[in-house]
């Protein structure tokens, strides 16, 4: 979590607040559910589960558990691992999308003021934080987050029930790439409440943007827009409410303008948006008076500013508001007549223009956001539905009717998928099930939207609107009469003198029909289109692009018809996704924290159907999956199901369940799906799957690291070889062996490590032989770090309590950049001289090539120069201070190298000259021949005799560490034994020390080795022993009158017997014990043979065995 601070739910002895998941309630009734929600709400636990459904209670305050720490806590966690939270649901959605490759959606429902918009914001914020991506993805994330304040400014308003009520519906699809990065998005908007632009109820406000502009505009903007205080404007002063508690309109104006920039609106476009907003305010102040039954503009001064802001002529605006052009047909001819309007009609036309301007501006902003997030093709998406809540006001009009219809449709989805569909699925799959009764609100949806038998309210409304010709109460009263006559007997419908009553799922709502028909017609006359298309601003022209001639043909589309189509399109979109639900509850009407109204909460619990939801979930199964998907998800758990189950799917599912020992009462198998009862059982499956993936990931990581290491060592060998190329003869095993670096094991020897800096990395460490001025030998630990070359010896303590004990002593410490040069001979010996300003060091090491390559690299890093290397068969070194000449100078000694016999050096010291003889080695132009061909060997199943081993180039393995640069085909010499005696005996990673001493034992005690006749017996190990045991165990019955079979021919494959134990140093080497018999498949001249032991093939050193 990044902090030691613990949340209240993570502390010990915390007060228990009800139950996290109401499926666990002891009593299932509305009272128990309401009481549990109240307990949790009072303790600031606003989230509660009903299985996968999240219940959210509006706290009316900011709570502390929506920070980055909670994002980290819930990311990747299972649902019940942490307390209920909206982040848990968001994470579950996101992971399901990635795992199942299916689109997801979350339906947030509840009445106005229950917290739906805030819930949608938290979901989008969480997904933005947990999904990765680069600059383009970050740009999309910014748009997703910044679209909220922009759409809230233009689409939200204060109502008596909610200070930030969504007055439009929004379905936000966040589109993802296959890697899970949000790389696109799309917003669908529904039914903006246009009537709010021109009138509001008492105690409410117009849309937020008006108050933001009036409060936040700069002095220059105020002058350009001609704006003043809100009480000056008719469209704002009808309700008498101008401010909202705890809302800073000035600050929110700055946020809105920033959001416009983020979604890609230019400064000119932003200015035009504000011009339209201000122009609408000015339009509202145009008043009319009646002169001879005709309307005239009361004061033409009020025409100037709206005409200026909208780019239209003042005269044109006056004419279009007070008159209308009508087409009259008479005797087959069409005449155009100018009709003068009365004051009521003029006010209606003014308001219609204002509403049209605002709604088209809102659609333009939504389109701008969509264009900024547009994606060429859809892959995955998560949809977030934030739509206006169910509303019951003192006076409910056409807008409330449409809003409540959409909520009715959403409730139907919830019922279809959580109550009806779930129970039907159990029956279809043959699962034992007792049906649970619930209220299906489809009957209410049909009452509103049905087209025939019986006809619905919206169809009756459209019929009335088609026959009405002028504005007036007559059409509204006709609507009441027709509703009463056609659907008056419906059990969910009643009529009253001013309208009608619908029994919604959330309760009875009385609708006043006044204005129903006019608002449903939603007509904008052609005169207004012509006026706006004459604007000098292209922006405003583009908002009114309709073809007027085409619009005149056919029956115009009504508002109810539009919302019905939008609602059904939305439902079909949601049904294509995997749905998730958030049920929001409003605890009070005071909008204050810690205030709980029992009756209000209980009413919501009832109409949301939470009791039935709990009963179905409690009796049902927490998890269900088609057999194929279940097998695909958990195939990795057993060998039989991975990568694909070959048999019948049902049997494969049973096999998986048995493999994890799941109790039979925890699941049922249907016809095509598996049903698992408890979430804990699912967690068990997920945890085991996670462990399997973990294990395989480690195997892959290990193989990859080994692959990288092998490549690194191949490169190191080649670089090391290049240093000596064409300058020095090479030992056979020196070319192809692995580089280990630390041959002492300094991590296990603090007495050696103490001389090296605490944070200094050791590149090379080995026991070497040092020659003094008399050519006497002494052992030293040679350690190379990036800064220093150390030589550590051992001396007896001469006094003190540790007298007589041997202690490590730092004999020499040379800075890398102070080394002057390195001298070597041109023969295959292991000698080299380190030249330094004061005196030189003559050293002998079987790992000289590795040491030189590392020293060469470190010297170049330190000095930015190449280390001088001198090759000559007459070398001179200083033994004390003083210059040194070419030959025999004072304070110097010489080493002379001669070609002799064999691979072992012969030393002949004489006065100040040491003569060293050694036989010829590999040519000076020899390069490493070994490549890492293991993969191809195993893939192609090549036999050693026919593949790469048959080539002349020797293929050695890491086992050469056991013998270093030793000679091929014979036991290691006593020289090697002497070099290695001081090395650590207790390092399991360096078994070469043991091997290097035991072969020398063989050469010194060869008679003892020959006396051991154990190899003469028939071996029980190896392939031969395996065949022998099989022949004993599976003896065929004696055949009647059959001839005795010929004796089995002796194996032609050569065999050898192990003289010493050997531990494999790499994966393609063989380990063996003394007296093991190994089949020899290939003898390589390098000294590394290829053979078979106990059915396994690999390489082994030829000097550890003898042929049978």
């Amino acid at each position: 979590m990044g902090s030691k601070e613990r949340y209240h739910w993570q502390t010990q002895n915390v007060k228990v607040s009800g139950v996290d998941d109401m499926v666990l309630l002891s009593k299932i009734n509305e009272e128990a559910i309401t009481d549990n929600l109240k307990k949790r709400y009072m303790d600031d636990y606003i989230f509660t589960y009903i299985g996968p459904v999240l219940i959210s209670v509006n706290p009316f305050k900011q709570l502390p558990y929506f920070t980055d720490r909670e994002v980290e806590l819930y990311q990747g966690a299972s649902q019940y691992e942490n307390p209920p939270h909206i982040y848990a649901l968001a994470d579950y959605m996101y992971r399901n999308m990635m795992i199942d490759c299916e689109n997801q959606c979350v339906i947030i429902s509840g009445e106005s003021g229950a917290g739906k918009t805030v819930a949608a914001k938290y979901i989008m914020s969480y997904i933005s934080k947990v999904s990765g991506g680069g600059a383009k993805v970050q740009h999309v994330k910014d748009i997703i987050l910044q679209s909220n304040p922009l759409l809230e400014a233009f689409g939200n308003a204060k109502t008596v029930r909610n200070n930030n009520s969504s007055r439009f519906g929004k379905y936000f699809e966040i589109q993802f790439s296959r890697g899970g990065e949000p790389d696109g998005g799309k917003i669908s908007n529904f039914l903006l409440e246009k009537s709010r632009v021109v009138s509001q109820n008492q105690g409410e406000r117009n849309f937020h943007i008006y108050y933001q502009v009036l409060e936040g505009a700069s002095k220059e903007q105020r002058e350009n827009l001609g704006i003043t205080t809100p009480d000056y404007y008719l469209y704002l002063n009808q309700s008498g409410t101008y401010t909202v508690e705890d809302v800073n309109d000035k600050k929110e104006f700055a946020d809105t303008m920033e959001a416009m920039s983020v979604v890609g609106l230019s400064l000119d476009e932003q200015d035009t948006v504000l011009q339209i907003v201000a122009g609408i305010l000015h339009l509202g102040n145009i008043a009319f008076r009646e002169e001879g039954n005709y309307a005239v503009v009361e004061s033409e001064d009020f025409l100037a500013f709206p005409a200026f802001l909208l780019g239209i002529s003042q005269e044109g605006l006056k004419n279009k508001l007070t008159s209308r052009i009508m087409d009259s047909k008479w005797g087959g001819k069409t005449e155009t007549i100018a009709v003068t309007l009365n004051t009521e009609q003029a006010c209606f036309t003014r308001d219609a223009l204002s509403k049209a301007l605002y709604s088209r501006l809102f659609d333009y902003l939504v389109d701008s956001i969509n264009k900024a997030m547009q994606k060429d093709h859809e892959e995955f998406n998560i949809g977030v539905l934030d739509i206006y809540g169910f509303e019951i006001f003192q006076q409910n009009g056409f807008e409330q009717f449409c809003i409540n219809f959409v909520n009715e449709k959403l409730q139907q989805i919830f019922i279809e998928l959580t109550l009806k569909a779930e129970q039907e699925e159990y029956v279809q799959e043959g699962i034992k099930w007792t049906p649970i009764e619930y209220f299906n609100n489809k009957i209410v949806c049909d009452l509103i939207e049905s087209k025939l038998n019986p006809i619905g309210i919206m169809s009756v409304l459209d019929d009335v609107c088609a026959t009405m010709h002028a504005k007036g109460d007559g059409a509204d009263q006709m609507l009441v009469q027709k509703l009463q006559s056609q659907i008056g007997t419906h059990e969910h419908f009643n009529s009253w003198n001013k309208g009608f009553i619908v029994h919604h799922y959330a309760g009875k709502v009385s609708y006043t029909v006044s204005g129903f028909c006019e608002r449903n017609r939603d007509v904008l006359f052609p005169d207004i289109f012509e006026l706006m298309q004459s604007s000098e601003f292209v922006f405003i022209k583009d908002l009114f692009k309709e073809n007027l001639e085409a619009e005149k043909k056919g029956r115009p589309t009504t508002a109810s018809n539009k919302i019905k189509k939008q609602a059904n399109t939305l439902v079909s979109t949601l049904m294509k996704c995997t749905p998730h639900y958030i049920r929001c509850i409003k605890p009070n009407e005071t909008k204050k924290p810690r205030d709980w109204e029992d009756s209000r909460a209980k009413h919501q619990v009832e109409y949301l159907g939470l009791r039935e939801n709990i009963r179905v979930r409690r009796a049902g199964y927490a998890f269900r999956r088609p057999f194929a998907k279940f097998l695909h998800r958990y195939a990795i758990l057993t060998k039989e199901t991975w990568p694909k189950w070959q048999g019948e799917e049902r049997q494969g599912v049973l096999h998986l369940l048995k493999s994890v020992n799941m109790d039979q009462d925890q699941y049922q198998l249907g016809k095509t799906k598996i049903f698992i009862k408890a979430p804990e059982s699912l967690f068990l499956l997920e945890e085991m799957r996670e462990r399997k993936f973990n294990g395989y990931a480690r195997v892959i990581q290990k193989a990859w690291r080994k692959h990288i290491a092998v490549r690194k060592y191949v490169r190191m060998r080649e670089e090391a070889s290049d240093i000596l190329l064409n300058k020095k003869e090479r030992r056979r095993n020196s070319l192809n062996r692995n580089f280990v670096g630390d041959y002492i094991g300094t991590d296990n020897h603090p007495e050696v490590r103490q001389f090296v800096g605490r944070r200094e990395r050791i590149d090379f460490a080995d026991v070497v032989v040092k020659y003094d001025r008399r050519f006497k030998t002494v052992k030293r630990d040679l350690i190379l770090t990036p800064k220093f070359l150390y030589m550590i010896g051992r001396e007896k303590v001469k006094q003190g309590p540790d007298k007589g004990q041997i202690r490590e002593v730092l004999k020499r410490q040379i800075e890398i950049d102070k080394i002057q040069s390195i001298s070597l001979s041109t023969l295959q010996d292991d000698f080299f001289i380190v030249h330094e300003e004061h005196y030189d060091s003559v050293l002998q090491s079987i790992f000289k090539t590795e040491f030189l390559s590392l020293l060469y690299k470190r010297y170049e890093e330190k000095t930015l120069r190449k280390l001088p290397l001198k090759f000559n068969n007459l070398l001179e070194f200083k033994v004390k201070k003083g210059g040194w000449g070419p030959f025999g100078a004072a304070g110097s000694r010489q080493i002379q190298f001669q070609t002799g016999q064999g691979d072992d050096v012969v030393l002949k010291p004489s006065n100040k000259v040491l003569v060293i003889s050694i036989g010829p080695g590999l040519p000076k132009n020899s390069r490493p021949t070994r490549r890492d061909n293991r993969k191809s060997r195993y893939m192609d199943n090549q036999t050693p005799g026919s593949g790469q081993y048959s080539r002349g180039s020797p293929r050695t393995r890491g086992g050469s560490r056991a013998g270093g640069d030793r000679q091929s085909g014979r036991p290691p010499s006593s020289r090697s034994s002497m070099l290695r005696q001081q090395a650590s005996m207790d390092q399991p990673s360096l078994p070469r020390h043991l091997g290097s001493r035991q072969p020398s034992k063989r050469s010194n005690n060869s008679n003892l080795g020959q006396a051991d006749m154990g190899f003469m017996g028939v071996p029980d190990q190896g392939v031969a022993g395996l065949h022998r045991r099989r022949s004993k165990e599976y003896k065929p019955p004696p055949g009647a009158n059959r001839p005795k079979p010929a004796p089995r021919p002796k194996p032609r494959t050569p065999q050898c017997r192990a003289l010493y134990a050997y531990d494999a140093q790499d994966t393609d080497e063989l380990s063996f014990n003394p007296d093991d018999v190994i089949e020899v498949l290939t003898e390589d001249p390098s000294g590394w043979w290829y053979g078979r032991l106990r059915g396994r093939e690999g390489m082994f050193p030829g000097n550890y065995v003898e042929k049978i």
Side-chain angles (χ1 to χ4, degrees), residues 93 104-106 108 120-121 123-124 127 140-149 151 168-176 182 184-190 263 366 369-370 373 381-387 570 573-574 577:
M93 267 200 308
Q104 312 285 311
C105 70
V106 57
I108 309 171
K121 280 195 246 181
I123 287 173
M124 289 193 276
I127 290 171
V140 171
K141 287 183 182 180
D142 291 341
I143 295 169
I144 290 170
L145 297 178
Q146 288 296 330
S147 66
N148 282 320
L151 293 180
F168 73 106
K170 174 179 71 173
Y171 184 60
F172 201 134
E173 291 176 88
I174 307 171
Q175 297 168 343
F176 294 85
K186 181 184 174 186
I187 297 174
S188 307
N189 63 303
F190 311 96
V263 301
V366 172
I369 296 168
N370 285 339
M373 299 187 293
N381 68 65
I382 290 177
V384 181
L385 180 63
D386 171 23
I387 208 157
L570 174 64
T573 302
L574 295 174
C577 305

Side-chain angles (χ1 to χ4, degrees), residues 321-384:
L321 292 181
T322 56
S323 65
R324 182 183 306 159
I325 302 295
M326 295 187 69
D327 292 336
S328 174
K329 291 184 179 180
W330 183 260
K333 293 182 180 180
T334 304
E335 288 185 40
T336 302
I337 305 169
V339 178
T340 309
L341 307 178
N342 61 29
T343 52
E344 188 182 12
Q345 290 170 330
C347 288
F348 174 79
T349 305
R350 176 201 65 196
D351 292 348
L353 172 58
S354 299
K355 290 190 286 185
L357 272 169
Y358 194 84
S359 64
R360 287 160 189 259
L361 176 62
F362 186 78
D363 289 340
Y364 165 79
L365 292 173
V366 172
D367 287 341
S368 298
I369 296 168
N370 285 339
K371 283 175 185 172
M373 299 187 293
Q374 198 168 7
K375 186 178 172 184
D376 297 336
H377 62 286
E378 287 190 23
E379 289 168 300
F380 303 133
N381 68 65
I382 290 177
V384 181

Side-chain angles (χ1 to χ4, degrees), residues 730-736 828 902-904 920-922 952 954-956 960 963-973 975-976 1002 1082-1089 1099-1105:
R730 306 298 305 278
R731 287 190 179 274
R732 292 185 186 280
N733 285 352
S734 172
L735 279 175
N736 293 314
Q828 65 158 329
D903 292 335
D904 289 339
L922 296 176
R955 186 184 191 282
T956 64
S960 60
D965 289 359
R966 297 189 193 109
Q967 61 279 16
S968 161
R970 50 185 286 187
S973 67
R975 174 188 69 83
S976 297
R1002 176 196 168 207
T1082 306
E1083 293 183 42
D1084 197 278
S1086 68
W1088 283 89
W1089 296 0
M1099 301 196 71
F1100 59 94
N1103 54 357
Y1104 276 48
V1105 299

Side-chain angles (χ1 to χ4, degrees), residues 376-439:
D376 297 336
H377 62 286
E378 287 190 23
E379 289 168 300
F380 303 133
N381 68 65
I382 290 177
V384 181
L385 180 63
D386 171 23
I387 208 157
Y388 21 57
F390 193 89
E391 290 185 342
I392 307 176
F393 292 123
Q394 193 168 6
Q395 187 170 337
N396 302 290
F398 179 72
E399 282 77 14
Q400 278 67 47
F401 177 70
C402 293
I403 286 169
N404 292 343
F405 163 65
V406 174
N407 275 272
E408 201 76 55
K409 293 290 284 185
L410 294 180
Q411 176 69 2
Q412 191 185 0
I413 290 183
F414 183 78
I415 287 169
E416 282 283 337
L417 297 178
T418 60
L419 302 175
K420 183 171 180 280
E422 184 163 342
Q423 297 196 70
E424 287 177 354
E425 185 178 39
Y426 294 146
V427 174
Q428 289 167 4
E429 290 286 329
I431 302 296
K432 294 175 186 175
W433 182 254
T434 305
I436 289 167
E437 295 296 322
Y438 59 92
F439 169 65

Side-chain angles (χ1 to χ4, degrees), residues 586-603:
K586 186 178 183 181
N588 60 60
E589 278 298 335
T590 61
K591 306 173 200 164
K592 292 180 180 175
R594 302 184 72 80
D595 183 11
W596 183 271
E597 295 176 22
D598 265 323
S599 58
R600 173 160 295 284
K602 186 181 174 187
H603 173 64

Side-chain angles (χ1 to χ4, degrees), residues 218-229:
S218 65
K219 187 178 179 183
E220 183 185 353
Q221 285 174 322
R222 297 177 76 84
E223 287 178 3
N224 291 339
L225 301 175
I227 53 178
T228 178
T229 55

Side-chain angles (χ1 to χ4, degrees), residues 806-817:
I806 294 177
R807 287 287 173 85
E808 285 71 16
V809 179
L810 181 63
K811 291 292 188 180
R812 195 161 190 198
Q813 181 179 3
I814 308 173
E815 290 184 46
I816 296 294
D817 53 358

